[in-house]
């Protein structure tokens, strides 16, 4: 196995450019799962990002929160200001694995691992997060809502590193993150729903119900139009337009659809006058 | 250009407050280096997938699963294992029956020592929530939780 150990962002981008098949390593909480039983990975070339100091800190500008390419869940949980302005990031982070996972796992790793059940991605997407990808060829900035195109399919070239995740600072009147799993602690979501409302409109994000985390534009239109909703079933047509729920080892499509409708309905009943 | 390493990689880090230098294979996890290169077998391997917490150590003061940490990532950093804890600091766990078969104990007491040293983290979750990454199949957890609460100075502890 080969590992490259860059000490700066420039070195890391060079390493990615000169090793087209190399995999970057951040917290390792996806890459190292069952490591001894994955010999194919032991023949890989890796680029260790852990010593690239520039990537770690999160920072604030007048109109954005900018997470670094190595910012961890614990970094966010510990930041009082994030708790105030982006509470769903903290809520999602606290429900990811355990403290051992939160201390190591990164938001960028969650994005690039590309799991349909990624809790971090759902919260970032509901805040209109933008992924910043850098390479020696230049920079691209892609809204997270347009980043995925299929199961583990995304708009990232092999030499690109996520160096920032940018979130616009806004006033939110509704912020809901709901994750339904087999149990409360340390469980991957079977159904996840995240909702925000700001002057830029409603955002509804579903995770664990489709091949990738996605925005639900039919549901957003339904909320925007203030159409009357009298039961969870009234939401099913929009849900079916937005996602074709998946059958997998964690759950069935029929269960997912129903749970999503109920979670949305009861979550919004308190905050939406059009729900009764 | 960055340093490229294939079979042998010397790394230096601080292990239980002592400077440590060791040659590793880049494919080794921190868990492997602790147990098989350094003979610190207190740290256990349970699941190898970050679920059970038997392999918990502190990395720069925070609990991590050493089965998910590539060994090359600890260069220049601070690692603490169960071997660093003295018997006295474990007294409340004896009293509360926090251990039965003992397989989970090294990991449990490492996460516990982090909570006890930083009781302010209880603002981010209850003891039970913060211990969710350490599975125990014997005790039913009550003895573990009680042992931790008794060890926290402001909670009726010492
Ligand atoms: C026990 C356990 C429980 C978990 N529970 C949850 C959960 O509840 N919810 C959830 O969403 N996830 C969960 N996860 C998954 C995991 O913790 C997250 O996906 C984590 O955010 C991955 O980040 P990392 O830094 O550890 O990634 P790594 O394992 O280091 O990398 C993951 C992928 O991202 C790539 N990568 C990493 N950083 C970059 C970068 N800067 N630029 C480009 N590519 C990059 C890597 O090449 C790799 O393909 C769990 C994992 C475990 C082991
Ligand atoms: S062996 Fe590392 S968490 Fe189980």
């Amino acid at each position: 196995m080969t590992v490259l150990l860059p000490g700066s962002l420039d070195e890391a981008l060079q390493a990615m450019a000169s090793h087209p098949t190399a995999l970057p390593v951040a917290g390792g909480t996806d890459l190292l799962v069952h490591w001894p039983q994955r010999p194919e990975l032991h023949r890989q070339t890796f680029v260790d990002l852990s010593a690239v100091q520039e990537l770690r800190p999160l920072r604030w500008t007048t109109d954005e929160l900018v997470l670094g390419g190595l910012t961890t869940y614990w970094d966010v949980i510990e930041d009082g200001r994030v708790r105030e302005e982006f509470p769903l990031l903290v809520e999602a982070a606290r429900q990811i694995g355990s403290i051992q996972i939160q201390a190591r796992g990164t938001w960028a790793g969650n994005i690039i691992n590309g799991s349909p059940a990624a809790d971090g991605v759902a919260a970032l997407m509901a805040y209109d997060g933008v992924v910043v990808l850098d390479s020696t060829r230049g920079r691209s900035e892609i809204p997270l809502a347009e980043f995925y195109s299929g199961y583990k399919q995304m708009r990232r070239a092999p030499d690109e590193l996520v160096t920032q995740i940018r979130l616009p600072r806004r006033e939110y009147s509704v912020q809901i993150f709901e994750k339904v799993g087999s149990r409360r602690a340390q469980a991957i979501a079977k159904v996840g729903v995240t909702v925000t409302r700001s002057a830029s409109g409603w955002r509804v994000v579903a995770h664990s119900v489709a091949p990738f985390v996605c925005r639900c534009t039919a549901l957003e239109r339904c909320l925007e139009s203030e159409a009357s909703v009298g039961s969870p079933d009234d939401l099913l047509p929009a849900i079916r337009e937005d996602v074709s729920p998946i059958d997998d080892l964690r759950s069935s499509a029929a269960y997912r659809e129903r749970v999503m409708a109920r979670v949305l309905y009861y979550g919004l009943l308190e905050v939406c006058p059009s729900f009764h | 250009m960055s340093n490229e390493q294939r079979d042998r990689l010397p790394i230096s880090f601080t292990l239980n407050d002592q400077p440590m230098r060791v040659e590793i294979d880049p494919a080794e996890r921190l868990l492997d280096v602790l147990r098989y290169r350094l003979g610190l077998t207190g740290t256990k391997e349970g699941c190898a997938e970050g679920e059970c917490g038997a392999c918990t150590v502190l990395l720069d003061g925070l609990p991590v699963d050493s089965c998910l940490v590539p060994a090359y990532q600890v260069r220049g950093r601070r690692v603490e294992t169960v071997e660093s804890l003295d018997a006295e600091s474990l007294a409340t766990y004896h009293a509360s029956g926090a251990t039965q078969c003992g397989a989970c104990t090294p990991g449990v007491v490492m996460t516990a020592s982090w909570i006890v040293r930083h009781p302010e983290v209880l603002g981010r979750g209850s003891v039970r929530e913060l211990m969710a990454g350490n599975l125990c199949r014997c005790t039913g957890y009550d003895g573990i939780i009680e042992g931790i609460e008794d060890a926290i100075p402001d909670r009726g502890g010492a």
Side-chain angles (χ1 to χ4, degrees):
Chain A
M1 193 189 109
T2 305
V3 58
L4 291 97
L5 306 172
S8 68
L9 183 55
D10 272 348
E11 285 183 2
L13 295 175
Q14 288 294 340
M16 294 298 295
S18 50
H19 294 76
T21 59
L23 287 177
V25 188
T29 63
D30 282 313
L31 280 173
L32 268 84
V33 169
H34 289 311
W35 180 257
Q37 281 83 52
R38 294 163 76 196
E40 75 287 359
L41 278 182
H42 303 194
R43 291 188 286 274
Q44 266 281 341
T45 296
F46 293 93
V47 174
D48 175 32
L49 302 179
S50 68
V52 181
Q53 300 303 337
E54 302 102 294
L55 289 180
R56 181 73 190 264
L58 63 82
R59 61 190 175 79
W60 296 87
T61 67
T62 23
D63 40 35
E64 283 181 331
L65 164 63
V66 184
L67 304 184
L70 276 180
T71 301
T72 65
Y73 299 116
W74 188 250
D75 292 336
V76 159
I77 293 170
E78 280 286 87
D79 192 301
R81 221 162 140 194
V82 178
R83 212 169 312 140
E84 257 170 49
E85 284 196 39
F86 296 93
L88 302 185
L89 296 186
V90 175
E91 224 168 288
R94 280 184 49 176
Q95 293 186 49
I96 292 179
S98 55
I99 169 63
Q100 288 95 327
I101 301 298
Q102 292 156 14
R104 297 272 304 159
T106 63
W107 298 85
N110 201 233
I111 292 173
I112 301 303
N113 183 54
S115 162
D119 296 314
V121 173
L124 294 170
M125 202 182 281
Y127 285 129
D128 281 352
V130 173
V131 189
V132 179
L133 296 151
D134 280 317
S135 72
T136 53
R137 298 173 292 109
R139 166 168 289 193
S140 44
E141 304 196 16
I142 304 173
L144 201 43
E146 296 161 22
F147 190 58
Y148 301 103
S149 56
Y151 178 72
K152 301 227 173 198
Q153 299 299 305
M154 63 197 84
R155 292 167 62 186
R156 168 184 172 257
D159 62 340
E160 285 180 317
L161 289 178
V162 177
T163 53
Q164 300 179 5
I165 305 150
R166 299 160 55 158
L167 305 165
R169 296 173 69 178
R170 295 176 182 151
E171 297 275 337
Y172 286 96
S173 55
V174 175
Q175 300 179 83
I176 299 171
F177 175 87
E178 288 288 346
K179 168 178 174 182
V180 180
S182 316
R183 54 186 186 130
R184 278 243 318 274
Q186 201 154 271
I188 303 295
K190 291 176 179 207
V191 175
V193 180
T194 313
V195 183
T196 61
R197 185 186 197 183
S198 70
S200 305
W202 287 92
R203 298 290 181 271
V204 179
V205 174
H207 68 292
S208 245
V209 292
F212 50 95
V213 183
C214 60
R215 259 182 70 180
C216 299
T217 49
L219 281 163
E220 289 172 4
R221 280 194 306 274
C222 163
L223 293 172
E224 220 69 71
S225 72
E226 297 177 7
S228 146
V229 175
S231 78
D233 284 354
D234 289 351
L235 294 168
L236 283 175
I239 290 176
R240 288 181 185 141
E241 205 176 311
D242 284 326
V243 293
S244 4
I246 43 174
D247 273 309
D248 70 6
L249 78 168
R250 273 189 290 278
S251 201
S252 70
Y255 170 88
R256 288 193 152 102
E257 199 172 86
R258 273 170 197 282
V259 171
M260 191 174 157
R262 280 178 170 67
V263 168
L264 272 170
Y265 177 77
Y266 291 107
L268 290 169
L269 194 53
E270 310 257 291
V271 292
C272 283
S274 57
F275 279 53
H276 48 88
Chain B
M1 188 53 234
S2 51
N3 188 355
E4 178 168 330
Q5 296 299 335
R6 285 170 195 280
D7 303 324
R8 277 278 169 279
L9 170 63
I11 59 166
S12 305
F13 62 107
T14 305
L15 177 59
N16 297 335
D17 283 329
Q18 300 295 318
M20 172 59 68
R21 195 177 160 78
V22 59
E23 282 216 335
I24 62 160
D25 173 328
E28 285 171 324
R29 304 164 298 170
L30 176 57
L31 175 68
D32 304 316
V33 169
L34 291 172
R35 287 181 58 85
Y36 307 118
R37 290 206 184 266
L38 302 172
L40 294 179
T41 54
T43 304
K44 306 300 180 200
E45 177 158 15
C47 64
E49 58 171 344
E51 294 279 352
C52 76
C55 65
T56 304
V57 301
L58 303 185
L59 178 58
D60 289 342
L62 281 179
V64 303
D65 295 318
S66 61
C67 71
L68 297 181
V69 178
Y72 53 75
Q73 285 196 344
V74 306
R75 56 198 200 282
R77 302 174 71 178
R78 203 156 43 82
V79 176
E80 293 160 78
T81 68
V82 66
E83 284 85 356
S84 69
L85 299 182
D86 59 28
E88 240 166 76
S89 73
L90 303 176
T92 60
Y93 307 107
H94 288 294
S96 66
T99 290
Q100 287 185 27
C101 87
C104 70
T105 304
V108 164
V109 298
M110 290 316 288
T111 311
S113 73
W114 169 70
I115 299 173
V116 171
R117 273 185 242 173
H118 302 281
E120 71 279 4
V121 300
L122 290 169
R124 321 270 185 278
S126 62
V127 172
R128 207 171 276 275
E129 196 180 324
L130 293 169
M131 291 302 295
N134 290 90
L135 301 187
C136 169
R137 301 289 82 165
C138 308
T139 62
Y141 299 103
D142 288 352
I144 293 174
I145 307 297
E146 194 186 318
I148 297 172
E149 292 195 327
D150 288 347
I152 299 171
D154 294 349
R155 298 210 160 191

